[in-house]
Amino acid sequence: MKFPFHSLLNPRNKLIPREMHRSPKTITKQALKKVRSFFSTPAASVAAASSSPSTAVMDDLQALKFRLCIIGSGPAAHTAAVYAARAELKPILFEGWMANGVAPGGQLTTTTDVENFPGFPEGILGFELMDRCRNQSVRFGTEVVTETVNRVDFTTRPFKVFTDSKAVLADSVIVATGAVAKRLSFQVCDGAAPIFRNKPLAVIGGGDSAMEEANFLTKFGSKVYIIHRRNEFRASKIMQNRALSNPKIEVLWNSMAVEAYGEQSKEVLGGLKVKNMVTEEVSDLKVSGLFFAIGHEPATKFLNGQLQLDSEGYVVTKPGTTETSVRGVFAAGDVQDKKYRQAVTAAGTVCSDLWLGRCMAALDAEHYLQEIGSQTGKND
């Protein structure tokens, strides 16, 4: 029985209907049942005897035990969930609630049309695609929890994963928390809304996100400037062509915004100081809205250094696998992919061969669980 209806506010400020597959009452009953069962097992006795600080914290939270815990809500997380659930690993997935300012579903909930994901020749809205992914995960038995993981403990086994109200003991963990958009060092306006109708706007960036944002904003603004610090875009050719052929878009090449200032006597954006990187000349650009698409940073702060990260904060994985520096913990998707960051490659990190259904993260987790002898166990 589906619990009707709950709404999300996406970055476009549109209300999106979303179904919750379990009511809070049902989730509570199931959780309490798991807690009672868990504390009746020998493993629970061992855990209870531990004197670690994280165990003391668990005493005050709902304690659940799973063989596999997935952290994330994008294509990588749900691809892993589908394959793990079909392998009868009965995973729990924490999709977060506005984690890093993004709705459950990840970065795809902030985009409009997704045109490069296989199976949708006419394209599909980002939030609709992720809603389908979520429904598929639930269909095969994934326990989806709309809470944000704020802390983990990978120093002992089973691993411990914490939210504000729950503590999960997991034999294996897949980290698929993705990457979030970087913000500029001065105050800017994020998101699009009709309040910018018939006003000049600016977008900073040179990738697909910048092209998409600029084209979208032409529906509202009188003119849209794309400010890019190089003399060519890194966006795909099709996205470049759409932006460059739009009569309402003007590109400021070799330029960067160095200051944003307010409109006199009003608490609104009045314009930008834009510096030409070649001539070093600084000029005024009158705009009423500023939007950024300047790259991403991995959502790894909650790990608190417990996994090896590279210099940019991405999770380091063993080449050709999803294995991290901690045995039994795996990473998939944008959180460990700083080169491609595409929905299909996020799923592909999880799938070594998409059409044969070989899911790397789920398979790696399944093989690990077989090694430690818990493959035939039950969720206690």
Side-chain angles (χ1 to χ4, degrees):
M1 179 178 179
K2 294 182 177 180
F3 179 69
F5 296 3
H6 151 75
S7 293
L8 289 176
L9 185 65
N10 81 342
R12 301 283 188 212
N13 292 329
K14 298 176 184 176
L15 286 175
I16 304 172
R18 189 181 186 109
E19 293 180 330
M20 296 295 289
H21 294 268
R22 293 179 178 85
S23 70
K25 183 176 180 181
T26 301
I27 293 175
T28 301
K29 286 183 177 179
Q30 292 175 344
L32 291 174
K33 182 178 179 181
K34 292 177 185 292
V35 171
R36 287 194 296 269
S37 177
F38 167 69
F39 280 107
S40 67
T41 64
S45 300
V46 174
S50 172
S51 59
S52 67
S54 60
T55 302
V57 173
M58 292 185 71
D59 292 340
D60 299 324
L61 301 174
Q62 282 187 10
L64 310 173
K65 191 173 189 301
F66 285 80
R67 283 179 285 170
L68 174 62
C69 176
I70 301 170
I71 309 171
S73 64
H78 283 294
T79 304
V82 167
Y83 284 107
R86 284 173 57 83
E88 298 185 353
L89 297 181
K90 300 178 181 178
I92 183 172
L93 182 151
F94 285 104
E95 65 178 355
W97 174 247
M98 299 308 294
N100 300 298
V102 180
Q107 289 292 308
L108 281 182
T109 63
T110 70
T111 192
T112 50
D113 293 329
V114 177
E115 299 177 322
N116 58 353
F117 199 93
F120 300 96
E122 304 302 322
I124 183 172
L125 293 175
F127 71 82
E128 183 182 351
L129 174 61
M130 292 319 304
D131 211 41
R132 292 190 182 197
C133 290
R134 186 183 192 276
N135 291 341
Q136 191 171 2
S137 294
V138 171
R139 174 194 169 197
F140 288 113
T142 302
E143 185 86 16
V144 177
V145 180
T146 311
E147 293 186 25
T148 301
V149 171
N150 50 40
R151 188 164 62 88
V152 296
D153 182 358
F154 295 154
T155 61
T156 60
R157 288 175 172 76
F159 303 119
K160 301 177 182 68
V161 177
F162 299 92
T163 69
D164 286 339
S165 66
K166 293 180 177 61
V168 165
L169 293 174
D171 294 321
S172 181
V173 175
I174 294 177
V175 177
T177 45
V180 296
K182 291 181 180 178
R183 294 184 178 273
L184 296 175
S185 59
F186 54 84
Q187 186 174 359
V188 296
C189 306
D190 184 19
I195 60 172
F196 299 117
R197 192 175 300 280
N198 299 322
K199 296 181 179 180
L201 308 170
V203 174
I204 297 177
D208 280 357
S209 296
M211 303 302 109
E212 180 186 28
E213 192 77 2
N215 274 298
F216 178 82
L217 289 171
T218 59
K219 298 178 181 179
F220 303 106
S222 58
K223 189 177 187 65
V224 177
Y225 298 94
I226 298 179
I227 302 173
H228 188 48
R229 63 186 302 156
R230 298 181 178 86
N231 60 1
E232 62 181 1
F233 291 134
R234 64 181 182 277
S236 60
K237 293 298 182 182
I238 188 171
M239 296 301 289
Q240 289 189 46
N241 292 337
R242 287 180 184 175
L244 294 173
S245 63
N246 192 317
K248 295 179 71 174
I249 292 178
E250 179 180 338
V251 181
L252 302 182
W253 301 103
N254 299 307
S255 300
M256 65 179 294
V258 294
E259 182 183 337
Y261 57 86
E263 186 174 328
Q264 194 172 24
S265 74
K266 295 182 180 179
E267 293 184 356
V268 296
L269 181 66
L272 303 172
K273 295 286 187 181
V274 178
K275 180 180 179 180
N276 185 291
M277 305 295 290
V278 178
T279 66
E280 296 191 352
E281 179 184 354
V282 177
S283 59
D284 276 339
L285 182 66
K286 300 293 185 183
V287 292
S288 299
L290 176 60
F291 303 81
F292 52 88
I294 57 171
H296 296 77
E297 60 181 351
T300 54
K301 291 181 180 178
F302 74 99
L303 295 172
N304 197 28
Q306 295 189 61
L307 295 181
Q308 182 184 352
L309 308 177
D310 68 12
S311 59
E312 297 178 56
Y314 289 87
V315 177
V316 174
T317 53
K318 181 180 178 181
T321 77
T322 61
E323 298 173 10
T324 70
S325 57
V326 175
R327 187 168 180 264
V329 179
F330 307 92
D334 291 0
V335 76
Q336 57 85 54
D337 170 26
K338 61 183 177 183
K339 182 175 181 181
Y340 297 106
R341 286 191 298 270
Q342 295 285 327
V344 71
T345 57
T349 313
V350 192
C351 303
S352 59
D353 185 337
L354 186 61
W355 305 114
L356 292 177
R358 295 185 57 79
C359 172
M360 286 178 63
L363 277 179
D364 286 345
E366 183 180 7
H367 292 164
Y368 168 76
L369 292 173
Q370 287 176 335
E371 288 179 16
I372 66 173
S374 65
Q375 172 62 26
T376 57
K378 301 292 183 181
N379 280 354
D380 294 322

